[in-house]
Amino acid sequence: MPLARSLSVTSLTGLEDWDDELDLENSVLFEVAWEVANKVGGIYTVIQTKAKITSDEWGDNYFLIGPYFEHNVRTQVELIEAPNAAIKRTLDSMNSKGCKLYFGRWLIEGSPFVILIDIAATAWNLDHWKTEFWDSCTIGIPWYDREANDAVLFGFLTAWFLGEYAAQCEDEKPYIVAHFHEWLAGVGLCLCRIRKLPVATIFTTHATLLGRYLCAGSVDFYNNLQSFNVDKEAGDRQIYHRYCMERAAVQCTHVFTTVSQITAVEAEHLLKRKPDVVTPNGLNVKKFSAMHEFQNLHAQSKARIQEFIRGHFYGHLDFNLDKTLFFFIAGRYEFSNKGADIFLEALARLNYLLRVNQSDLTVVAFFIMPARTNNFNVETLKGQAVRKQLWDTANTVKEKFGKKLYESLLVGNLPDMNKMLDKEDFTMMKRAIFATQRHSFPPVCTHNMLDDSTDSILTTIRRIGLFNSSADRIKVIFHPEFLSSTSPLLPVDYEEFVRGCHLGVFPSYYEPWGYTPAECTVMGIPSISTNLSGFGCFMEEHIADPSSYGIYILDRRYRGLDDSCTQLTSFLYSFCQQSRRQRIIQRNRTERLSDLLDWKYLGRYYMYARHMALAKAFPDNFMYEPTEPTAAQGFRYPRPASVPPSPSLSRHSSPHHSETEEDDERYDEEEEAEKDRQNIKPPAMAVGTVPEWRKRSKKGSIDASTSSNASTPTNPSSPTDLSSPASSITEERN
Amino acid sequence: MKDQAFVTLATNDSYVKGALVLGSSLRHYNTTRQLVALITPQVSDSMKKVLFKIYDDVKEVDVLDSGDSAHLALMQRPELGITLTKLHCWTLTQYSKCVFMDADTMVLSNIDELFQREELSAAPDPGWPDCFNSGVFVYRPSIDTYKRLLQFATEKGSFDGGDQGLLNSFFSSWATTDINKHLPFVYNLSSVSTYSYLPAFKVFGANAKVVHFLGRIKPWHFSFDPKTKSVSGMHDPAVVQPEFLKLWWETFSTRILPLLTEHGVVKDTSSGLKAEEIAEAVSQLSIEAPTISSEERKERWEQGQIDYMGEDSFENIKRRLDSFLK
């Protein structure tokens, strides 16, 4: 009988109290997911990035369980003998009964052990297992749903494995924790409970099945959350059996977690259980040894995007590239779920605002959303070719010019400028210039779309008339393919591209977590997200004044679409108002938030969940004091000491504010960074001070919104109305 | 004869109906032995109470209860499931000898003479007569045999995935050693045999002592009109023993149904349960209500025709899960 351990967790803030570690010597952790060493979607990223800290914590007692696919194993798993005797006996025993299980190391950071199950090898058991599943929980699986049938096989095999392992551990029985991700792994969890295996179970949903379907079907989701008849909605959408598998797992698990507050609300209403812990997703943050290296990378990548722009807009380069901002939206092509609709609308309004204010600023908005195409279109490729030709011409002339200069200097004469370029050179240059003439506008879409006439982004662009004409201050480029460094068009990979942009725009309506803005943040690129995305909620909770840190959070939860669009326009406009220096300061602040998104910090929520599961499954041996999971606040960034760079706020403090000199006095990078570092360590009084910060941040945002609301009394949909707050901003700036 | 017993097993409320008819038929033919029913936790409390009206002892078996050695076996052999529950009959060591009978059997005469046979006596299986059918068998309760059976199950498994395969492997000498352990077929007359050898059935069928409703459709899946005394769907070609089926239903409606309704009334006044729950209990037991069998429901799920607004609602699934999570 192991010693009873007690542990008090007052709140995650008070992690000092909780630091005495679990007795991991005698505990084993299995993490079960369909996306272990098998990339399908976002769960892969979560598990793969988290592996490092979890292996650091659990060492050789950490095993990932996933499905076996040969092509995955060949590329990312090294098969080895299981070093753990009980695991080896378990594998041998199951393999001798006709199963095919493989053991290896997953070749990712942390190189964790993986157990991969070939579900096809035991597919002949399917009917038998489906009957057993039916008999135990009266959930049947339609024969035509391949994925659900796979889930049954995978579930029965994982439960068999866990049971066999529990039986194979001879003398010292370890405490087994099994963490299941998503409905595809859920059957295994249900079986663990039905068979009463001695296993502490955790279930994490990264989104709910029904939520995804409802949102995709353009339902007013968040306003009706409480009133959905969930059985009916799932049944009508023919996902009832999947929904039942998901909900059964939620019902059975000891500890239920989701990735964000917003998904927690969703789960509470659609799965009828409030999550015990919110376990946000993290990233492995790369730390550069040189300070501000990310700023240099931004400059480098920006230069490459600028090159692309030079080619794409040949013949129409009537704007200053040094005064051009790059915005982008990226992700799966879900027009309204990802907020492409509202982004386009806001761009149209921003275009109007910049034009009426005769701004010299240009914005290029990139849409990186893969759609069905048949490759690049000729016009875009030609653009890059033309640019190349100009570059070659300039180089040839330069060569000749240089040679003449040299010869002239050799004989001791100052060159005669009139003879430097001869007629031939001029002809060549004139010809090159003529080649850049263009009668059409630069193309919006870089590819030939298969559904050009019905594509939702293109039809919206046609409706709002953003055709890249020279009068437009907003240029739009739709790149319907993932980026690649081998592309002839824009040869950068996604990371380089993000680094070269100024602002990521992700105004999603449905986004359980949202890795895209998180990735922007760790690269020091400001972003716009929403209070309906997990990321936005998380940031709102941890930062008093997110927008000064380059985290703009759009309110899409408590406002109508049109109001949200107005707010987005004002975010974009205020971003455009910033000086170069303000943007640099803002990027520094954004980058400092990296620590908040690092697994080193966010991994604690998982630890907490595991502990809670052990305590619930083995109450005689583990204890914990239940806490309010929502009170989990590790650290909190206050409003920066110096003036926030967002003009909407700065105008309150300094009406005649000129960016250059005054900022030098106010902004001290080192001092500010030091303060933020202090905040990373949770101060004991943090709990007391939190409400005050929150109040202040609320006030700030209310100020900003009321000023724009007040000026849009009658018809907020028309962009004309927006000109009034905008002009007031310009006045103050002048 | 207090130390000998007929033992049956009911794993859900439907099978309890079968067990009640079996018990009542044994009583009808004046058995002198004890009647014991093994039940699993899925059986509802109200049904359990009704069982006590007919059986001398009702014992709940939960293989999944930790601490039980069967639980360990099950973890390694999850596919055996209900089989391991059935093996529990060997633990009834307060009896020196028992006759196990499936809940889908019914006796047609006194069969107490079976207790003169030795372990393990059983009738041949109509599908493979070198194997015995495990629907009716004579055995001696013994913890030692029980443990050996469990160990055998863990190591070798069952060739048909059920108890019959396991028991036939364990008592593998049955087919060849002792003819006294071969029970006459009339002690376990199964439905398939009537049409596979109809002339024989016509001659010997009248001597039948135990009828076994093999197959997927059980007597309680039909519905019965007590006024006309007719079973609906009885003339379906799949129904091979209409007279036995009718007999089953007559027993059910005359002897079991009064018990059930009486029980429902008692529950109504004394414990003051919600009307809704009673209505539900009654509808489950009511023989007029058109109910579809569990197998049919499963099939409908598999075809994507799910009654998600009715019987298949998650509330019902949840109730089911909660019975495991207690």
Side-chain angles (χ1 to χ4, degrees):
Chain A
M1 187 72 184
L3 283 174
R5 291 182 60 85
S6 90
L7 188 120
S8 77
V9 183
T10 46
S11 84
L12 270 188
T13 331
L15 278 171
E16 312 93 279
D17 306 337
W18 189 58
D19 263 347
D20 72 327
E21 301 219 328
L22 273 175
D23 181 14
L24 299 183
E25 283 293 294
N26 196 29
S27 316
V28 181
L29 171 63
F30 293 97
E31 200 151 354
V32 187
W34 186 253
E35 294 198 42
V36 166
N38 174 39
K39 184 162 174 62
V40 184
I43 321 298
Y44 179 88
T45 318
V46 179
I47 292 166
Q48 186 227 356
T49 54
K50 194 176 71 62
K52 171 89 174 74
I53 52 142
T54 317
S55 317
D56 287 351
E57 187 194 352
W58 290 75
D60 286 349
N61 290 338
Y62 175 46
F63 303 91
L64 288 148
I65 300 181
Y68 172 88
F69 292 109
E70 203 196 337
H71 58 275
N72 289 329
V73 171
R74 261 193 314 219
T75 51
Q76 43 183 322
V77 178
E78 179 195 10
L79 295 179
I80 55 169
E81 277 281 289
N84 178 313
I87 294 275
K88 189 165 178 357
R89 280 198 302 275
T90 311
L91 293 171
D92 290 347
S93 156
M94 283 180 72
N95 282 338
S96 74
K97 289 169 194 161
C99 303
K100 272 193 180 161
L101 274 71
Y102 298 83
F103 188 91
R105 273 189 191 280
W106 190 3
L107 302 176
I108 54 168
E109 219 181 323
S111 51
F113 291 132
V114 281
I115 293 151
L116 299 174
I117 304 177
D118 187 350
I119 58 162
T122 37
W124 50 272
N125 270 316
L126 182 62
D127 273 341
H128 177 69
W129 284 343
K130 272 163 80 172
T131 308
E132 187 179 333
F133 195 55
W134 168 260
D135 288 341
S136 46
C137 41
T138 60
I139 298 174
I141 313 294
W143 55 269
Y144 50 79
D145 187 345
R146 168 95 195 255
E147 232 178 324
N149 284 301
D150 283 352
V152 170
L153 289 171
F154 187 55
F156 271 84
L157 284 160
T158 42
W160 185 353
F161 177 86
L162 291 171
E164 179 90 38
Y165 174 73
Q168 290 286 358
C169 290
E170 277 156 355
D171 18 275
E172 208 170 291
K173 296 260 179 216
Y175 296 104
I176 303 173
V177 185
H179 192 148
F180 297 81
H181 292 268
E182 290 285 285
W183 70 276
L184 275 163
V187 175
L189 195 157
C190 297
L191 291 169
C192 283
R193 295 307 303 279
I194 289 170
R195 294 177 183 169
K196 298 211 164 78
L197 300 184
V199 173
T201 54
I202 306 172
F203 185 66
T204 299
T205 46
H206 295 254
T208 69
L209 280 166
L210 189 55
R212 199 179 279 286
Y213 271 81
L214 285 170
C215 280
S218 59
V219 167
D220 184 5
F221 184 62
Y222 291 96
N223 289 323
N224 292 320
L225 255 185
Q226 297 85 348
S227 46
F228 286 121
N229 179 344
V230 280
D231 285 4
K232 181 172 187 310
E233 296 294 340
D236 291 351
R237 285 170 177 74
Q238 286 164 23
I239 50 162
Y240 189 69
H241 58 286
R242 291 184 176 199
Y243 149 87
C244 284
M245 289 159 93
E246 184 178 50
R247 211 173 141 188
V250 169
Q251 187 68 28
C252 289
T253 186
H254 288 107
V255 172
F256 172 42
T257 86
T258 57
V259 294
S260 62
Q261 286 301 342
I262 192 74
T263 320
V265 175
E266 183 184 330
E268 194 180 340
H269 290 110
L270 301 186
L271 300 171
K272 309 291 179 196
R273 177 167 173 187
K274 198 175 169 193
D276 303 295
V277 191
V278 169
T279 48
N281 291 330
L283 288 161
N284 279 331
V285 178
K286 261 181 273 172
K287 280 280 174 216
F288 295 110
S289 48
M291 268 273 277
H292 301 322
E293 176 64 12
F294 71 98
Q295 297 278 15
N296 300 335
L297 289 173
H298 167 69
Q300 280 167 25
S301 302
K302 190 175 69 186
R304 306 182 71 166
I305 299 175
Q306 282 173 339
E307 272 303 286
F308 164 76
I309 295 295
R310 287 192 179 100
H312 194 81
F313 286 88
Y314 80 92
H316 290 264
L317 270 177
D318 47 10
F319 51 93
N320 184 352
L321 276 180
D322 284 332
K323 291 202 163 189
T324 300
L325 297 179
F326 300 136
F327 293 176
F328 80 101
I329 180 170
R332 224 176 316 161
Y333 196 163
E334 290 173 10
F335 186 62
S336 54
N337 271 0
K338 293 283 176 198
D341 51 352
I342 188 173
F343 184 33
L344 279 166
E345 191 61 39
L347 284 174
R349 295 186 190 183
L350 180 64
N351 189 36
Y352 182 86
L353 277 181
L354 293 172
R355 279 174 72 173
V356 293
N357 291 299
Q358 280 154 12
S359 171
D360 56 353
L361 200 83
T362 308
V363 172
V364 179
F366 289 91
F367 287 74
I368 313 287
M369 292 181 144
R372 299 193 324 132
T373 66
N374 45 30
N375 231 322
F376 303 109
N377 68 40
V378 178
E379 191 57 29
T380 4
L381 286 171
K382 189 180 164 196
Q384 298 307 315
V386 168
R387 179 189 58 78
K388 179 81 169 34
Q389 195 196 6
L390 286 178
W391 175 256
D392 290 346
T393 309
N395 266 339
T396 321
V397 175
K398 185 182 84 184
E399 285 286 307
K400 284 174 75 178
F401 184 100
K403 205 171 165 196
K404 281 182 192 167
L405 196 65
Y406 177 54
E407 274 162 4
S408 158
L409 292 176
L410 277 178
V411 296
N413 292 336
L414 271 182
D416 177 358
M417 294 312 282
N418 291 328
K419 288 182 182 167
M420 278 293 131
L421 295 174
D422 55 26
K423 224 175 156 188
E424 198 188 323
D425 297 331
F426 276 104
T427 317
M428 190 162 67
M429 290 193 290
K430 272 183 191 155
R431 213 170 40 222
I433 291 171
F434 284 174
T436 66
Q437 285 181 31
R438 186 188 227 183
H439 300 294
S440 58
F441 292 139
V444 164
C445 187
T446 54
H447 290 58
N448 288 323
M449 298 287 287
L450 285 183
D451 314 302
D452 192 283
S453 56
T454 53
D455 182 79
S456 36
I457 290 185
L458 292 179
T459 45
T460 312
I461 289 174
R462 286 182 196 115
R463 181 172 57 76
I464 60 182
L466 285 177
F467 297 124
N468 295 340
S469 78
S470 60
D472 285 329
R473 298 294 12 106
I474 306 291
K475 318 283 183 188
V476 179
I477 296 175
F478 178 23
H479 188 279
E481 199 187 349
F482 283 125
L483 295 164
S484 142
S485 52
T486 56
S487 155
L489 211 57
L490 179 55
V492 292
D493 61 22
Y494 180 70
E495 184 183 332
E496 271 179 290
F497 175 78
V498 173
R499 286 191 184 279
C501 285
H502 294 94
L503 179 70
V505 185
F506 312 105
S508 308
Y509 184 69
Y510 186 74
E511 188 78 79
W513 173 244
Y515 258 118
T516 33
E519 283 163 345
C520 282
T521 308
V522 301
M523 293 187 229
I525 302 301
S527 60
I528 297 180
S529 51
T530 70
N531 60 355
L532 291 182
S533 80
F535 173 83
C537 293
F538 179 77
M539 286 314 218
E540 206 164 37
E541 196 183 319
H542 283 76
I543 313 169
D545 180 14
S547 56
S548 61
Y549 281 91
I551 305 293
Y552 297 91
I553 298 164
L554 193 61
D555 181 4
R556 291 200 67 176
R557 191 167 174 195
Y558 302 109
R559 294 186 190 208
L561 187 62
D562 191 71
D563 272 1
S564 301
C565 190
T566 309
Q567 196 192 13
L568 177 57
T569 314
S570 71
F571 281 159
L572 294 174
Y573 190 71
S574 66
F575 187 83
C576 292
Q577 300 293 102
Q578 293 189 89
S579 68
R580 188 190 178 84
R581 187 182 153 73
Q582 282 173 320
R583 288 199 304 267
I584 293 174
I585 294 173
Q586 192 183 38
R587 277 200 296 273
N588 279 336
R589 289 185 186 148
T590 306
E591 202 265 348
R592 256 183 271 134
L593 298 179
S594 299
D595 294 325
L596 194 58
L597 296 168
D598 198 332
W599 272 121
K600 288 196 191 83
Y601 166 63
L602 293 179
R604 298 170 194 206
Y605 292 91
Y606 275 83
M607 287 156 87
Y608 180 64
R610 289 193 284 264
H611 199 114
M612 192 191 273
L614 279 169
K616 284 192 178 179
F618 310 109
D620 299 341
N621 306 312
F622 295 92
M623 270 164 56
Y624 81 107
E625 282 170 27
T627 54
E628 186 61 39
T630 50
Q633 285 158 344
F635 48 114
R636 208 176 152 81
Y637 287 77
R639 181 195 294 272
S642 44
V643 170
S646 94
S648 62
L649 289 160
S650 66
R651 71 195 147 103
H652 296 294
S653 50
S654 59
H656 303 288
H657 157 71
S658 83
E659 299 132 359
T660 40
E661 304 96 307
E662 286 186 36
D663 250 45
D664 281 309
E665 298 163 3
R666 288 204 186 87
Y667 180 71
D668 182 341
E669 163 81 20
E670 263 314 297
E671 190 187 317
E672 214 184 285
E674 186 48 45
K675 273 206 177 126
D676 281 351
R677 274 195 289 274
Q678 295 271 312
N679 282 304
I680 291 168
K681 292 182 205 114
M685 22 70 86
V687 184
T689 37
V690 161
E692 201 196 324
W693 285 336
R694 166 157 284 179
K695 219 164 100 195
R696 277 170 62 186
S697 82
K698 277 270 155 52
K699 193 165 164 264
S701 62
I702 288 164
D703 278 353
S705 56
T706 42
S707 66
S708 62
N709 279 350
S711 55
T712 56
T714 44
N715 179 11
S717 66
S718 128
T720 348
D721 297 318
L722 260 179
S723 62
S724 33
S727 57
S728 72
I729 294 172
T730 6
E731 273 162 33
E732 279 158 12
R733 278 166 54 81
N734 289 340
Chain B
M1 296 293 266
K2 287 276 179 201
D3 69 332
Q4 294 185 338
F6 285 102
V7 180
T8 190
L9 166 71
T11 51
N12 58 37
D13 284 357
S14 299
Y15 273 83
V16 171
K17 293 182 198 168
L20 288 168
V21 170
L22 169 66
S24 147
S25 66
L26 283 164
R27 290 261 185 255
H28 180 71
Y29 292 106
N30 304 319
T31 177
T32 56
R33 269 47 175 206
Q34 299 285 296
L35 297 189
V36 180
L38 301 175
I39 58 168
T40 57
Q42 282 83 46
V43 171
S44 65
D45 285 345
S46 48
M47 281 305 233
K48 190 175 166 184
K49 280 180 197 149
V50 180
L51 273 174
F52 267 113
K53 301 256 170 194
I54 290 181
Y55 282 82
D56 299 300
D57 194 10
V58 178
K59 198 179 165 212
E60 188 171 299
V61 179
D62 189 0
V63 252
L64 299 166
D65 241 355
S66 40
D68 194 307
S69 48
H71 186 208
L72 198 67
L74 186 60
M75 285 197 293
Q76 285 177 276
R77 282 284 179 180
E79 77 273 17
L80 290 182
I82 216 72
T83 305
L84 296 175
T85 315
K86 191 163 175 177
L87 295 186
H88 251 266
C89 67
W90 261 274
T91 64
L92 299 169
T93 45
Q94 62 269 47
Y95 306 105
S96 61
K97 193 185 278 182
C98 295
V99 172
F100 185 92
M101 299 183 77
D102 276 349
D104 54 356
T105 57
M106 180 172 72
V107 303
L108 306 173
S109 67
N110 187 301
I111 52 166
D112 287 355
E113 67 273 17
L114 281 180
F115 286 92
Q116 292 159 16
R117 306 267 178 164
E118 261 316 305
E119 173 171 288
L120 185 112
S121 297
D125 185 84
W128 192 265
D130 275 354
C131 287
F132 59 85
N133 182 288
S134 61
V136 177
F137 61 85
V138 185
Y139 72 100
R140 277 190 184 279
S142 143
I143 294 297
D144 178 54
T145 315
Y146 174 66
K147 283 192 174 151
R148 283 191 294 127
L149 271 165
L150 277 185
Q151 195 189 350
F152 189 88
T154 318
E155 284 164 10
K156 307 262 169 62
S158 159
F159 66 77
D160 67 354
D163 56 288
Q164 181 158 317
L166 176 73
L167 291 175
N168 269 287
S169 308
F170 189 80
F171 297 102
S172 58
S173 63
W174 174 85
T176 49
T177 337
D178 184 358
I179 194 65
N180 285 324
K181 290 184 181 173
H182 278 234
L183 295 183
F185 194 61
V186 288
Y187 284 102
N188 190 352
L189 184 74
S190 41
S191 46
V192 261
S193 54
T194 56
Y195 63 12
S196 56
Y197 198 0
L198 194 60
F201 178 70
K202 279 182 178 157
V203 177
F204 304 111
N207 302 332
K209 293 177 187 294
V210 177
V211 61
H212 189 176
F213 296 95
L214 273 181
R216 287 176 39 180
I217 303 176
K218 301 297 180 193
W220 50 85
H221 292 148
F222 294 91
S223 56
F224 181 73
D225 184 346
K227 289 185 197 94
T228 60
K229 300 213 166 192
S230 66
V231 181
S232 72
M234 202 168 72
H235 303 292
D236 197 293
V239 181
V240 284
Q241 298 143 308
E243 54 277 34
F244 293 141
L245 186 63
K246 209 172 152 202
L247 196 60
W248 191 94
W249 270 102
E250 274 167 13
T251 314
F252 186 79
S253 62
T254 53
R255 286 182 238 149
I256 308 302
L257 199 60
L259 278 179
L260 295 175
T261 32
E262 171 204 348
H263 191 77
V265 173
V266 168
K267 225 167 89 176
D268 190 16
T269 51
S270 65
S271 61
L273 280 166
K274 280 186 215 144
E276 186 191 332
E277 279 178 46
I278 290 167
E280 194 182 82
V282 170
S283 80
Q284 272 174 5
L285 305 177
S286 156
I287 46 167
E288 282 94 359
T291 48
I292 58 165
S293 70
S294 166
E295 286 80 4
E296 257 175 284
R297 272 175 63 202
K298 172 169 174 272
E299 237 161 62
R300 290 197 189 169
W301 274 79
E302 292 184 354
Q303 285 157 10
Q305 297 159 344
I306 306 163
D307 183 17
Y308 51 85
M309 298 300 285
E311 205 176 355
D312 299 327
S313 72
F314 196 82
E315 266 314 299
N316 288 342
I317 296 172
K318 182 168 177 285
R319 212 168 296 144
R320 184 87 172 196
L321 291 170
D322 285 342
S323 73
F324 294 108
L325 300 175
K326 271 187 278 194

